[in-house]
Amino acid sequence: MGLLPKFIDDAAGPPAQAVGNTLSNIWELGVGSHVSLWLKKQEYRQKQNYEDYIQKVEENTQNIPEEFLSEPQLNIVGPAIEASKYYIESEELRAMFANLIASSIDSRKTNETHPSFVEIIKQLSPLDAQILKNFHTIQRHPIAQVRLVNDKNHFIVTQQHIMDFRVYDGYESHTSSLSNLQRLGLLDIDYSNAVPDSSKYDFVKNHPAYQSARQQLLEIQEDNPSFNTVSHHEGICVRTPLCKDFVKVCF
């Protein structure tokens, strides 16, 4: 059966069959040819991604000195190879799988390479991976909430988890990604502490979320004039011991 519903059966008369043939021709001219071209482009892109992935694995394994080569950890390399085929379209994620596979045969990284890393990569987005790179060499980063505050010091949080990360050529909303990284046990977010240097939070006032809060304040003041200030609350985002090993192995 084709893509079109077969609402005209084989017993239909010549006029109905003619209508069916016409619809089929229109479908092929209007949609089918474009679908075929799209499939060819997808096949070519998938082939390029696969070749890039193989190259990364080969480069990473060839860079291991011979004296540190060990038998693959099958509980890591097996699931990693199986899972990676579903994430090969993402440059960031296939690079992480390639690094993980290489680490599984590098005796220098045996203690840091954990089977859970396969499942962690599977639950990351490309943006999550971009954010994690910032924790490769630096353990902690400033983080902030944007708040609307009234004259009784009550507040409404308008934006969680503001950080000074520019990825993909601009500011991104990191809230969901940071929440996911926290859920996976890679990051701890603490708003009861802050980095000692308060100037590290100067970026907040230039963040789009802070500018958006100014507009929200004007809207809220129409019904509740007691809200009169946009402010930020300082916190700290720290990589966990699991994250330390994860970025060492996968980046």
Side-chain angles (χ1 to χ4, degrees):
M1 184 179 293
L3 292 173
L4 286 177
K6 191 178 180 181
F7 60 90
I8 299 173
D9 60 31
D10 295 335
Q17 290 177 353
V19 170
N21 290 335
T22 300
L23 286 174
S24 296
N25 291 336
I26 293 173
W27 172 269
E28 181 58 33
L29 289 173
V31 179
S33 59
H34 294 286
V35 170
S36 177
L37 179 61
W38 179 82
L39 289 173
K40 289 179 181 179
K41 288 181 177 179
Q42 289 295 105
E43 183 180 356
Y44 176 71
R45 187 180 297 114
Q46 193 77 350
K47 183 174 182 293
Q48 284 186 312
N49 291 338
Y50 175 76
E51 291 173 351
D52 177 71
Y53 179 46
I54 293 299
Q55 182 180 356
K56 282 184 168 62
V57 173
E58 290 178 347
E59 289 175 352
N60 291 346
T61 54
Q62 288 171 0
N63 287 334
I64 303 172
E66 188 173 352
E67 64 268 26
F68 296 113
L69 287 172
S70 63
E71 286 295 318
Q73 300 179 56
L74 294 181
N75 63 333
I76 295 175
V77 71
I81 291 173
E82 174 64 22
S84 63
K85 64 187 179 184
Y86 300 107
Y87 300 85
I88 203 167
E89 290 186 359
S90 167
E91 181 178 354
E92 292 86 357
L93 300 186
R94 68 173 178 262
M96 294 172 73
F97 273 117
N99 290 330
L100 178 58
I101 291 169
S103 295
S104 73
I105 62 172
D106 188 341
S107 62
R108 295 169 298 179
K109 297 184 178 180
T110 299
N111 292 333
E112 292 90 1
T113 307
H114 195 276
S116 66
F117 291 173
V118 176
E119 291 302 316
I120 288 176
I121 297 175
K122 288 167 60 177
Q123 297 180 66
L124 296 179
S125 71
L127 178 57
D128 298 343
Q130 288 281 330
I131 290 175
L132 274 181
K133 287 181 181 179
N134 293 277
F135 292 87
H136 193 185
T137 56
I138 300 175
Q139 180 179 356
R140 61 183 65 190
H141 288 273
I143 192 169
Q145 296 174 334
V146 177
R147 297 175 171 183
L148 304 182
V149 186
N150 67 11
D151 51 18
K152 294 183 179 179
N153 210 31
H154 296 157
F155 61 87
I156 299 172
V157 176
T158 62
Q159 181 66 61
Q160 291 271 23
H161 306 342
I162 302 296
M163 300 189 77
D164 193 20
F165 294 157
R166 288 181 174 87
V167 292
Y168 300 136
D169 300 321
Y171 279 112
E172 295 280 346
S173 175
H174 305 128
T175 303
S176 294
S177 285
L178 288 166
S179 296
N180 186 45
L181 295 173
Q182 184 180 33
R183 177 186 67 86
L184 292 170
L186 298 174
L187 299 179
D188 281 334
I189 299 174
D190 181 8
Y191 285 107
S192 63
N193 291 294
V195 298
D197 185 359
S198 61
S199 67
K200 298 294 185 181
Y201 296 91
D202 289 347
F203 70 90
V204 178
K205 291 186 178 180
N206 295 319
H207 196 281
Y210 195 89
Q211 308 305 321
S212 176
R214 291 180 179 275
Q215 181 59 41
Q216 289 178 269
L217 178 63
L218 295 176
E219 295 172 358
I220 287 178
Q221 284 179 326
E222 294 179 3
D223 298 319
N224 196 336
S226 66
F227 281 89
N228 50 35
T229 306
V230 177
S231 71
H232 67 274
H233 182 69
E234 299 174 356
I236 190 168
C237 185
V238 183
R239 74 183 184 192
T240 64
L242 179 67
C243 181
K244 180 182 178 181
D245 290 344
F246 182 80
V247 296
K248 180 179 180 180
V249 167
C250 297
F251 286 100

